[in-house]
């Protein structure tokens, strides 16, 4: 099976030229399965348009949500549409309309290969402890003139009020563990948007970069994947895009 993967295409920010380039590259690669590992678009109409364009040129299109995909706005919040509503209701509805497999909702099997995936979240386990930033800075997402905008636009409400980033990460981690447990395929591909392994995090000396590395992922999410005891490979074919970054991960797993 030929699998291609891309991520962080942000079509509502980058414009139709990036989508056109991705469609052309998908035609050229001719994969059996194309995976988009999150951050497609914040706007629902653009999200749907992007899925339809990519789905038209590949046999199967699989997606997981990205952090920008679950951003919400004050007017949406007033209607009860928080990030959980986007993750669990809006995005899967769009994917159904586009005939796209949405891995955050559950795993699937294609020709004997299982696919599971998750947006994942961050729990400060990727924080760089040598950085002189107080814990309050990570809680507010603001430090040294920088602001991590998820703290403004990703709103996760629970029964007792707004959920902490650690609680969100734990909830999504548990979901992925459940999805993996249901798969009996000989081969499994796990897709995450946020990073589950420390060696995937891009380290730089710039203090601002070091600060936002705290929001790159969750190492316990990697523990869930490793606990499956089937990880043998992490290779995939990436779609070339000037805005494809490393905030995605694809893992090929195989039973012993």
């Amino acid at each position: 099976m030929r699998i291609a993967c891309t991520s962080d295409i942000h079509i509502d920010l980058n414009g139709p030229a990036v989508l056109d380039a991705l469609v052309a590259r998908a035609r050229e690669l001719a994969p059996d399965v194309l995976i988009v590992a999150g951050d497609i678009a914040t706007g629902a109409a653009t999200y749907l348009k992007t899925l339809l364009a990519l789905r038209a040129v590949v046999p199967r299109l699989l997606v997981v949500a990205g952090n920008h995909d679950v951003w919400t706005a004050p007017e949406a919040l007033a209607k009860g549409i928080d990030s959980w509503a986007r993750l669990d209701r809006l995005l899967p509805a769009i994917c159904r309309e586009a005939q796209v497999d949405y891995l955050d909702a559950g795993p699937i099997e294609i020709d004997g290969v299982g696919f599971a995936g998750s947006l994942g979240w961050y729990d400060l386990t990727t924080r760089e402890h040598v950085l002189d930033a107080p814990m309050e800075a990570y809680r507010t997402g603001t430090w040294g003139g920088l602001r991590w905008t998820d703290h403004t636009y990703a709103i996760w409400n629970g029964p007792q009020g707004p959920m902490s980033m650690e609680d969100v990460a734990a909830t999504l981690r548990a979901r992925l563990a459940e999805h993996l447990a249901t798969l009996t395929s000989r081969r499994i591909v796990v897709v995450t948007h946020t990073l589950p392994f420390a060696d995937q995090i891009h380290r730089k000396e710039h203090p601002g970069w070091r600060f936002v590395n705290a929001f790159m992922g969750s190492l316990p999410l990697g523990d869930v994947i490793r606990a499956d005891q089937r990880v043998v490979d992490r290779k995939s074919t990436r779609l070339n895009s000037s805005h494809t970054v490393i905030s995605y991960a694809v893992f090929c797993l195989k039973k012993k």
Side-chain angles (χ1 to χ4, degrees):
M1 178 183 293
R2 183 174 175 81
I3 300 174
C5 178
T6 189
S7 179
D8 291 70
I9 55 181
H10 295 286
I11 298 302
D12 46 359
L13 298 176
N14 295 325
V18 170
L19 178 56
D20 291 344
L22 286 171
V23 168
R25 183 65 170 141
R27 282 201 185 97
E28 179 184 350
L29 289 174
D32 301 297
V33 176
L34 171 60
I35 299 169
V36 183
D39 280 357
I40 293 171
T42 301
T46 304
Y47 194 99
L48 175 60
K49 178 181 178 181
T50 300
L51 294 186
L52 291 172
L54 293 172
R55 178 67 181 85
V57 296
V58 294
R60 296 294 291 266
L61 177 60
L62 281 57
V63 305
V64 298
N67 55 311
H68 285 246
D69 299 328
V70 299
W71 277 9
T72 188
E75 56 270 23
L77 279 172
K79 300 176 182 178
I81 303 174
D82 67 351
S83 293
W84 288 119
R86 289 185 64 91
L87 181 71
D88 293 337
R89 297 205 305 268
L90 177 62
L91 297 184
I94 294 174
C95 287
R96 284 193 298 271
E97 182 173 346
Q99 297 184 351
V100 169
D101 294 292
Y102 180 65
L103 295 181
D104 289 272
I108 63 166
E109 182 177 304
I110 303 174
D111 296 335
V113 179
F115 292 83
S118 176
L119 158 65
W121 205 243
Y122 35 82
D123 51 14
L124 303 184
T125 53
T126 61
R127 177 167 62 98
E128 298 201 27
H129 294 276
V130 298
L131 187 65
D132 185 23
M135 183 55 66
E136 181 63 18
Y138 295 104
R139 294 293 172 199
T140 62
T142 304
W143 181 73
L146 296 171
R147 184 180 64 162
W148 185 249
T149 46
D150 278 357
H151 285 57
T152 301
Y153 298 110
I155 309 298
W156 305 95
N157 290 321
Q160 307 302 321
M163 295 176 64
S164 69
M165 64 186 87
E166 292 92 340
D167 287 343
V168 174
T171 299
L172 296 181
R173 183 168 66 246
R175 286 188 183 183
L176 180 60
E178 291 174 1
H179 293 172
L180 284 172
T182 67
L183 284 170
T184 59
S185 309
R186 177 178 172 82
R187 292 184 60 81
I188 301 173
V189 176
V190 180
V191 186
T192 70
H193 179 70
T194 51
L195 302 180
F197 298 121
D199 61 4
Q200 295 174 316
I201 299 170
H202 192 42
R203 308 289 183 181
K204 288 185 177 182
E205 292 300 318
H206 189 282
W209 189 282
R210 301 182 107 182
F211 175 67
V212 300
N213 270 343
F215 310 115
M216 289 298 103
S218 166
L219 301 186
L221 183 63
D223 293 338
V224 166
I225 297 171
R226 285 196 176 102
D228 189 273
Q229 298 184 353
R230 295 180 286 179
V231 177
V232 294
D233 190 18
R234 299 184 191 176
K235 295 180 181 179
S236 68
T237 301
R238 288 178 56 185
L239 285 178
N240 290 328
S241 164
S242 60
H243 293 87
T244 297
V245 298
I246 65 168
S247 57
Y248 79 90
V250 177
F251 308 96
C252 298
L253 291 78
K254 184 178 180 180
K255 283 187 176 180
K256 289 183 177 180

